Amino acid sequence: MPTSARTYGQFCGLARALEIVGERWSLLVVRDLMLGPKRFNDLQATLPRIPVSILTSRLNELEESGVIRRRVLSQLDAGVVYELTEYGSELDHIVLDLGLWGARSLSDPKPDDAFSIDTAVLSLYTTFREEMAAGVHINYELQYLGGEMVLHALVDDGAVKVSAGSLPSPDMVIEPQGPAMFELLNGGLSPQEALSSGKVRIEGDPADLELFTRLFHIPPAPEAPTGLTIH
Amino acid sequence: MPTSARTYGQFCGLARALEIVGERWSLLVVRDLMLGPKRFNDLQATLPRIPVSILTSRLNELEESGVIRRRVLSQLDAGVVYELTEYGSELDHIVLDLGLWGARSLSDPKPDDAFSIDTAVLSLYTTFREEMAAGVHINYELQYLGGEMVLHALVDDGAVKVSAGSLPSPDMVIEPQGPAMFELLNGGLSPQEALSSGKVRIEGDPADLELFTRLFHIPPAPEAPTGLTIH
DNA sequence: CTGGATCCCTCACGATACTG
DNA sequence: CAGTATCGTGAGGGATCCAG
């Protein structure tokens, strides 16, 4: 009997949802599949700390509950990919919202924290404020880790499309040093200071960096999440 | 060291969110606090299967991360209540959305499934479709379990307010038998059939029951969540 | 009575090694 | 490439006990 089927014993939609995607690692698997189908080893790569046995269990459970689907590729490839079903895809906005909520108590990355290109792509989707993008048309290319990780964001009148890879002729190239992008997004670092301190290098009009921080933003947490409570 | 602090080792908002509210039972505690402050024993009552030690741990963890706050009542009451902080309250729409997503693979309740009045109240908030309520003004009183559990919903031009308790002069009283309300919400039972079969008893205009099913609705899951996959 | 703490058992999790 | 096998640890779960 592979599946745990630990239940909460409640007749409640939230409890049911947590029985489906509430297990440890489950939502991270869903997140990784949001950007497209992936192989078993791809998932292992973007989830470095997941034990293989757990990944196997999660994939089976998510498949049984109709969140993901396993698809066998042609015999030439001799492989299997996992992809979200339509039902699973409808977690998209929940995952993004929860990611934004969590980003508000995110502190600076530890040296060995994993940071994949998928995370970078999703962070832009997560923090995009469409109400600030009405009538805006601009293309950004981002270069993380000294150009080792490149992605781009196409802002097109209230919508955004983010993908991995370079861009032929971007309006602006942004190259954050270390966690500078995160500080830029959460408002801890102003665009001006980012440039003058050298924490962010750009190609293009500095005004477009200011626009960037309005288009992509993590609102501050209402209370200090590190607050010490006096008992 | 009480707190587990199991981390995912990812620099990612979602991973951070799951470190905060991703532990088993955590989001159910948040859900129960969404409708107002509660005491330790109130939480135990609405979460019958939670071990006390786990409830204690979760409350401490959620407090440390700034999601909830413990407030000592006046000495006359000699008690403590737990309530959401502002940061915790901003999980509201995520919890509702996740609840709606999960409700779509909810099957009929098992005999010993817990069903509290809080769950009933939240199920109406969850399933409310504000786009269907523009210009609508109507008050419903719901009586579950043969009148043992009573709540009411005040629909007021695109907004709804749901609370426990009875109502002086509701426009309609709905008294579902067994899981009839759930079937009504997910479309498995039509208003007409609900009345003719006696699965739902009402006081008021039958047309208002039809309105009710438009105001409160669980969309069907895109694929059969109980689907058997052929391997 | 409220608000826990403590004990003990089981199983999910996690690390490592191995296989069709 | 896509998992299984094995095994140690600790979180989850349930009952009971304790302090204000």
Side-chain angles (χ1 to χ4, degrees):
Chain A
M1 301 294 104
T3 32
S4 55
R6 284 202 292 175
T7 66
Y8 286 101
Q10 302 221 351
F11 186 67
C12 161
L14 180 67
R16 183 77 194 104
L18 294 175
E19 286 165 8
I20 298 175
V21 295
E23 299 287 314
R24 192 161 161 73
W25 295 106
S26 287
L27 267 189
L28 293 180
V29 172
V30 171
R31 180 204 64 176
D32 275 9
L33 294 180
M34 275 174 53
L35 295 177
K38 279 200 168 51
R39 300 174 160 239
F40 191 93
N41 286 358
D42 296 334
L43 290 168
Q44 270 194 291
T46 50
L47 301 171
R49 312 250 288 238
I50 194 175
V52 270
S53 56
I54 299 295
L55 180 55
T56 301
S57 302
R58 294 298 172 269
L59 290 172
N60 287 332
E61 294 158 11
L62 290 172
E63 185 184 7
E64 280 183 39
S65 33
V67 177
I68 70 173
R69 172 194 308 128
R70 87 198 310 266
R71 197 175 65 200
V72 179
L73 297 177
S74 72
Q75 294 172 338
L76 295 172
D77 302 280
V80 177
V81 291
Y82 298 89
E83 60 189 0
L84 294 181
T85 62
E86 192 185 334
Y87 186 51
S89 296
E90 294 179 22
L91 283 167
D92 282 9
H93 71 280
I94 297 174
V95 167
L96 291 182
D97 287 351
L98 194 54
L100 183 59
W101 184 85
R104 296 164 68 184
S105 14
L106 204 54
S107 44
D108 278 341
K110 290 169 193 150
D112 53 350
D113 270 357
F115 182 68
S116 67
I117 191 158
D118 289 347
T119 301
V121 170
L122 279 171
S123 74
L124 292 186
Y125 277 119
T126 296
T127 59
F128 180 65
R129 296 190 293 174
E130 61 176 50
E131 73 275 14
M132 302 301 287
V136 174
H137 296 267
I138 190 169
N139 298 335
Y140 293 98
E141 176 174 305
L142 308 201
Q143 301 188 351
Y144 289 94
L145 309 178
E148 190 184 320
M149 184 185 289
V150 181
L151 56 147
H152 60 270
L154 314 177
V155 179
D156 182 24
D157 190 18
V160 70
K161 180 77 169 60
V162 187
S163 306
S166 187
L167 209 59
S169 58
D171 298 307
M172 162 159 275
V173 176
I174 306 179
E175 191 176 344
Q177 313 292 324
M181 176 55 70
F182 173 59
E183 297 169 12
L184 211 54
L185 290 174
N186 71 17
L189 178 69
S190 75
Q192 299 81 4
E193 192 181 326
L195 293 178
S196 61
S197 67
K199 289 183 176 176
V200 172
R201 287 164 39 191
I202 63 168
E203 298 170 21
D205 184 351
D208 285 342
L209 185 64
E210 215 268 323
L211 174 60
F212 180 87
T213 63
R214 288 202 306 277
L215 292 172
F216 302 93
H217 188 62
I218 301 171
E223 327 200 352
T226 62
L228 303 177
T229 313
I230 296 156
H231 298 283
Chain B
M1 301 297 105
T3 31
S4 54
R6 283 202 292 173
T7 66
Y8 286 100
Q10 301 221 349
F11 186 67
C12 160
L14 180 66
R16 182 80 194 103
L18 293 176
E19 286 165 6
I20 299 176
V21 294
E23 299 286 315
R24 194 162 160 72
W25 295 105
S26 288
L27 266 189
L28 292 180
V29 171
V30 170
R31 181 204 63 177
D32 275 9
L33 295 180
M34 274 174 52
L35 294 176
K38 279 199 168 50
R39 300 173 162 238
F40 191 93
N41 287 357
D42 296 333
L43 290 168
Q44 271 192 290
T46 51
L47 302 170
R49 312 250 286 239
I50 194 174
V52 269
S53 55
I54 299 296
L55 180 54
T56 302
S57 302
R58 293 298 172 268
L59 290 172
N60 288 332
E61 294 160 10
L62 291 173
E63 186 185 6
E64 279 183 41
S65 34
V67 177
I68 70 173
R69 171 195 305 129
R70 86 199 312 266
R71 197 175 64 199
V72 179
L73 297 177
S74 71
Q75 294 173 337
L76 296 172
D77 302 280
V80 177
V81 290
Y82 299 88
E83 60 188 2
L84 294 180
T85 62
E86 192 186 335
Y87 186 51
S89 296
E90 293 179 21
L91 285 167
D92 282 9
H93 71 279
I94 297 174
V95 167
L96 291 183
D97 286 352
L98 194 54
L100 183 59
W101 184 87
R104 296 164 69 185
S105 19
L106 204 55
S107 45
D108 279 341
K110 290 169 193 149
D112 54 349
D113 269 357
F115 182 68
S116 67
I117 190 158
D118 288 346
T119 301
V121 169
L122 280 171
S123 74
L124 292 186
Y125 276 119
T126 295
T127 59
F128 181 65
R129 296 190 293 175
E130 63 177 47
E131 73 275 14
M132 303 300 287
V136 175
H137 295 267
I138 190 168
N139 298 332
Y140 293 98
E141 177 174 306
L142 307 201
Q143 301 188 352
Y144 289 94
L145 309 178
E148 192 185 318
M149 184 186 288
V150 180
L151 56 146
H152 59 270
L154 314 177
V155 178
D156 183 24
D157 190 18
V160 70
K161 179 78 169 61
V162 187
S163 306
S166 187
L167 210 58
S169 57
D171 298 307
M172 161 159 277
V173 177
I174 305 179
E175 191 175 344
Q177 313 293 321
M181 176 56 71
F182 173 59
E183 298 169 11
L184 211 54
L185 290 174
N186 70 16
L189 180 68
S190 74
Q192 299 82 1
E193 192 181 327
L195 294 177
S196 62
S197 67
K199 287 183 176 175
V200 171
R201 287 164 39 191
I202 63 167
E203 298 171 22
D205 183 349
D208 285 343
L209 185 63
E210 215 269 323
L211 174 60
F212 180 88
T213 63
R214 287 202 306 276
L215 291 171
F216 302 93
H217 188 63
I218 301 171
E223 326 199 354
T226 62
L228 304 178
T229 313
I230 296 158
H231 298 285

